[in-house]
Amino acid sequence: MKKYIIEGTKSSPAINLDPARNLFEIRGESYPENCWAFYKPMFEWLENYFANAAHAPIVFDMEILYFNSSSSKTFMDFFDLLDEQSENGREVIVNWRYHEENETAMECGEEFMEDVSSIQFNLVEFGD
């Protein structure tokens, strides 16, 4: 399956979905002008991937420095999608990476973690 790669900008994160390398990551800031329009192709790619890679495990690394409320809603939809995959037997791990000095990112990760029921959600602190 073809990779899905989006370069990051000042207001939108870099997205790298590469099943051949088992690399799935979202990094950067997320406050695009039209959040749904930005993330919709990623959701479509993932739905296609899940349909064609039955039960292949997936590890998602997320390192979001800042995001707005529209992105927060989109991330909840994203975690719901991953949770559904996990409930159907796929191993799903999310590594929510945050800098040790970014308390807001840590707290947001804790909130997302509380809302998922089936996926393994890890809070991963890193320093300089």
Side-chain angles (χ1 to χ4, degrees):
M1 186 167 174
K2 245 178 128 173
K3 298 185 258 187
Y4 180 79
I5 296 176
I6 299 294
E7 297 294 327
T9 69
K10 180 180 172 189
S11 62
S12 60
I15 300 174
N16 189 355
L17 309 178
D18 184 352
R21 295 176 45 212
N22 199 21
L23 177 66
F24 301 88
E25 61 182 9
I26 302 174
R27 296 183 189 276
E29 297 193 0
S30 181
Y31 54 98
E33 187 172 322
N34 186 334
C35 194
W36 182 243
F38 176 76
Y39 283 104
K40 183 180 177 191
M42 179 189 82
F43 276 87
E44 291 171 347
W45 188 96
L46 283 169
E47 288 171 0
N48 187 33
Y49 172 74
F50 290 143
N52 292 297
H55 302 295
I58 188 167
V59 178
F60 238 103
D61 288 322
M62 295 187 67
E63 189 176 319
I64 306 297
L65 306 174
Y66 170 81
F67 56 92
N68 63 9
S69 57
S70 295
S71 294
S72 179
K73 169 71 175 107
T74 301
F75 292 155
M76 283 308 307
D77 293 341
F78 170 68
F79 294 133
D80 286 346
L81 175 67
L82 295 180
D83 227 14
E84 183 181 303
Q85 289 297 312
S86 181
E87 289 168 359
N88 290 330
R90 183 185 307 271
E91 181 182 3
V92 179
I93 299 171
V94 172
N95 294 316
W96 179 267
R97 297 175 40 83
Y98 63 94
H99 189 273
E100 62 190 357
E101 295 179 3
N102 191 342
E103 192 171 314
T104 302
M106 179 195 71
E107 291 171 355
C108 291
E110 288 174 341
E111 290 177 17
F112 288 132
M113 185 169 62
E114 290 174 5
D115 288 337
V116 297
S117 61
S118 185
I119 62 177
Q120 180 181 333
F121 197 103
N122 301 316
L123 298 174
V124 181
E125 181 181 289
F126 65 91
D128 292 324

